[in-house]
Amino acid sequence: MPDGQVAQRKPDASAFVIFGVTGDLAHRLVIPSLYNLAAADLLPGKFCVVGVARNGMSNDELRDSLMKGLRQFATRPVDDTVAKRLLDCVSCVEADPKDPASFDAMRAQLDELECAQDTGGNRLFYLATPPGAFAPIARELGRTGLLKEKNGAWRRLVVEKPFGTDLASARALNGELLNILDEHQIYRIDHYLGKETVQNILVLRFANGMFEPIWNRNHIDHVQITVDEKLGVGHRGSFYDSTGALRDMVPNHLFQLLSLVAMEPPARFDAHTVRSEKAEVLAAIQTQSEADALMNSVRSQYQGGIIDGVEMPDYHKTADVKPDSTTETFVALKLAIDNWRWAGVPFYLRTGKALGLKRTEVAIKFKEVPFKMFACTPVDRLSQNYLVISIEPTEGITLQFNTKVPGPAITIDGVEMKFRYKDYFKVEPATGYETLIYDCMIGDNILFQRADSVEAGWQAVQPFLDAWNKAGANGLEYYKAGSEGPACADELLKRDGRSWRKL
Ligand code: BG6
């Protein structure tokens, strides 16, 4: 075990039931993550994987298909012995929520498999399906009693993103699930919380004495959260065109970053306390009027351009995208958090597809010093003080500050102190889902979204959705694929006398 790592306990014996096992998510992420956990000896000693397909498949057919996926998507060379041990645990059952009898039959099959593997009745149902199937599957699992915790056995439901498409639908889905399960049984995934650097925000803030005293409106001028992607929409045209950049990224991924950066210190490092503080800060995001929402947002769509030498067509020429689509592929927002720590500190968020760079970062900009002291020196400007938490492309933390340039005259220049994860820790390449899946199996929901924070997230973005819906094409701007994004995003900060951090 590498230095500094703590031995992790093996999860309880259990059955891992995957709905949507024939799909992309199961092949690309779930099975490769289970493989990595198997390689690290972190799967339960008594374990079975049950793949649920709508059209029957034999166990061998399913195992072959998952093995192909594993070979394609594994993050490290596949050890055939480990892969075989994992795939030997896989069985296929057939069930479709449109056919309730199939769930009764599945229940009997599951009982048999669990008995054979001696898994003690602990079950984790992983919904790797399109979102429209979440509630129908949960209803059938509820009706057949498969989610009922009894005789000390646990039952858990893992729900993938997107959780709702607006505030009303997220509330409705929470309502449906909470009719069937208790909150502690529900694991709403946001894969950003599987990223080490994202988890590290908590440690950076609360395990170091020097940040917390200055982490407030007295010292911080504003916060920038950037998630820029080079990828276009590719083959996801139909999903993306009805979703857009705001829904796809902001209430989930960008708000995870925002809540970790802006939350109050939790009294304890446990799921209830940490998730309560995160929900509190999301609920404190000012709900804007539709007029303010229009003023404090920009939305934009990409037009053809070149990315890494490859031509990217106009967004609206992508397969399954409406030719007159007004869906945004880039969004920038200015948000305010109405509490004592953050009053008056703007949070600027931006995210977009088909940009020239892949970059995910949170940049905390500290207030400027009074310049008068340097008025009688040759110094004509000072560099900005940023603390940058980088998630992509390099995982690490950078502090930018001013320093004297060596020489007789007083000249000042901006320099950087950099910490890069890879310089200190050797980490095996991973999918980013391993910790999340392991945590579901050990029953730790600290890295999962609770109903209240999901709803608080949608509440904060709803005015933007409503205002844009009414505005239609008015206000939609365009940017060139491969560029840094639209000029209107720069204007959003410029009018406050600020600018986005340049690389
Ligand atoms: C997904 C979005 O949730 O996150 C995608 O649906 C997006 O559109 C992806 O590309 C970004 O994830 P990451 O980890 O590459 O930043």
Side-chain angles (χ1 to χ4, degrees):
M1 191 186 313
D3 284 354
Q5 285 202 7
V6 178
Q8 286 175 291
R9 75 173 162 94
K10 268 183 176 259
D12 300 336
S14 55
F16 192 99
V17 185
I18 309 174
F19 282 85
V21 72
T22 53
D24 177 64
L25 182 66
H27 284 72
R28 193 167 42 84
L29 283 168
V30 180
I31 294 295
S33 307
L34 286 175
Y35 170 83
N36 286 345
L37 288 171
D41 198 20
L42 286 175
L43 287 184
K46 293 172 179 169
F47 187 54
C48 64
V49 177
V50 182
V52 185
R54 273 181 306 176
N55 306 312
M57 247 183 159
S58 71
N59 291 347
D60 284 342
E61 280 169 333
L62 178 59
R63 288 174 190 167
D64 284 351
S65 161
L66 295 176
M67 188 64 206
K68 269 193 209 127
L70 184 58
R71 293 216 186 279
Q72 189 180 350
F73 298 112
T75 56
R76 50 187 95 159
V78 175
D79 177 331
D80 285 337
T81 322
V82 178
K84 184 168 177 333
R85 208 169 54 230
L86 173 65
L87 292 174
D88 280 351
C89 300
V90 174
S91 318
C92 190
V93 304
E94 194 178 335
D96 182 344
K98 290 202 188 94
D99 171 16
S102 66
F103 272 70
D104 295 300
M106 182 179 83
R107 182 189 170 137
Q109 285 171 288
L110 203 51
D111 282 344
E112 258 175 51
L113 286 166
E114 289 177 338
C115 211
Q117 300 298 325
D118 192 17
T119 55
N122 297 319
R123 289 177 193 150
L124 191 144
F125 295 97
Y126 195 115
L127 305 192
T129 62
F134 297 163
I137 293 174
R139 257 179 249 136
E140 280 308 303
L141 291 175
R143 181 187 63 78
T144 46
L146 281 161
L147 287 169
K148 195 156 185 55
E149 298 197 308
K150 56 180 181 198
N151 306 329
W154 51 256
R155 306 280 153 93
R156 297 177 187 144
L157 186 77
V158 182
V159 188
E160 271 290 341
K161 158 181 179 282
F163 197 94
T165 53
D166 56 13
L167 180 58
S169 57
R171 274 190 182 143
L173 183 54
N174 273 331
E176 287 253 22
L177 297 185
L178 290 165
N179 262 334
I180 302 164
L181 302 121
D182 280 342
E183 179 62 46
H184 77 268
Q185 295 175 272
I186 307 174
Y187 290 71
R188 297 175 193 80
I189 285 203
D190 184 312
H191 79 273
Y192 265 49
L193 287 174
K195 295 178 191 268
E196 284 291 342
T197 343
V198 174
Q199 295 168 28
N200 188 43
I201 298 175
L202 273 181
V203 176
L204 173 79
R205 285 192 59 198
F206 303 128
N208 295 299
M210 66 278 214
F211 296 117
E212 186 52 21
I214 54 169
W215 209 262
N216 55 49
R217 62 187 166 131
N218 298 327
H219 300 277
I220 292 178
D221 177 70
H222 72 275
V223 176
Q224 300 181 7
I225 301 180
T226 300
V227 182
D228 286 351
E229 296 186 84
K230 279 192 196 174
L231 290 178
V233 169
H235 59 274
R236 298 166 78 214
S238 159
F239 159 78
Y240 198 87
D241 207 36
S242 59
T243 303
L246 178 63
R247 285 187 170 95
D248 189 35
M249 299 294 287
V250 177
N252 33 65
H253 307 327
L254 275 83
F255 278 6
Q256 287 303 331
L257 299 173
L258 180 145
S259 58
L260 290 167
V261 167
M263 70 196 272
E264 292 301 315
R268 278 181 307 280
F269 194 75
D270 64 32
H272 173 75
T273 320
V274 171
R275 298 198 305 172
S276 298
E277 293 299 352
K278 286 173 70 186
E280 278 286 309
V281 77
L282 289 178
I285 298 177
Q286 212 170 61
T287 307
Q288 308 201 12
S289 66
E290 286 181 22
D292 285 347
L294 286 181
M295 209 169 61
N296 290 325
S297 66
V298 303
R299 62 193 168 117
S300 188
Q301 193 184 83
Y302 66 80
Q303 290 179 322
I306 308 281
I307 303 177
D308 292 340
V310 178
E311 206 165 310
M312 173 77 71
D314 286 356
Y315 167 73
H316 63 78
K317 291 191 185 138
T318 310
D320 301 323
V321 167
K322 289 195 278 319
D324 57 351
S325 169
T326 57
T327 299
E328 80 288 354
T329 58
F330 180 101
V331 55
L333 305 178
K334 176 183 174 186
L335 300 177
I337 299 180
D338 252 343
N339 65 16
W340 280 92
R341 183 185 290 266
W342 297 115
V345 179
F347 280 67
Y348 300 101
L349 277 57
R350 65 178 163 168
T351 181
K353 297 240 179 249
L355 295 164
L357 275 182
K358 167 99 175 141
R359 163 160 67 145
T360 305
E361 68 170 39
V362 179
I364 291 129
K365 162 81 171 59
F366 290 92
K367 291 203 163 155
E368 287 176 17
V369 298
F371 187 72
K372 193 156 175 28
M373 167 181 169
F374 300 103
C376 55
T377 70
V379 175
D380 57 1
R381 59 166 193 95
L382 292 174
S383 276
Q384 316 221 13
N385 291 141
Y386 277 109
L387 177 71
V388 183
I389 301 165
S390 311
I391 294 143
E392 288 269 1
T394 315
E395 292 189 300
I397 293 164
T398 303
L399 183 64
Q400 295 184 340
F401 57 98
N402 285 289
T403 194
K404 181 179 171 299
V405 178
I410 286 286
T411 319
I412 295 182
D413 205 356
V415 293
E416 292 186 338
M417 230 154 49
K418 278 192 176 167
F419 153 71
R420 288 184 309 182
Y421 258 82
K422 63 174 189 213
D423 295 340
Y424 282 78
F425 306 107
K426 184 175 166 346
V427 185
E428 290 276 8
T431 63
Y433 262 58
E434 292 81 357
T435 309
L436 298 175
I437 290 180
Y438 174 79
D439 283 359
C440 299
M441 291 196 284
I442 62 164
D444 181 357
N445 40 25
I446 201 165
L447 295 179
F448 296 85
Q449 302 203 75
R450 210 168 59 186
D452 52 352
S453 52
V454 171
E455 291 179 19
W458 281 114
Q459 169 98 41
V461 300
Q462 192 64 47
F464 298 98
L465 293 172
D466 293 341
W468 294 354
N469 192 25
K470 285 185 194 146
N474 281 338
L476 178 73
E477 309 234 351
Y478 294 90
Y479 62 102
K480 208 170 152 59
S483 69
E484 286 182 22
C488 51
D490 297 335
E491 287 303 317
L492 185 71
L493 272 70
K494 204 166 164 192
R495 65 170 200 229
D496 294 344
R498 300 185 172 107
S499 56
W500 295 105
R501 192 183 86 89
K502 295 265 176 236
L503 273 192

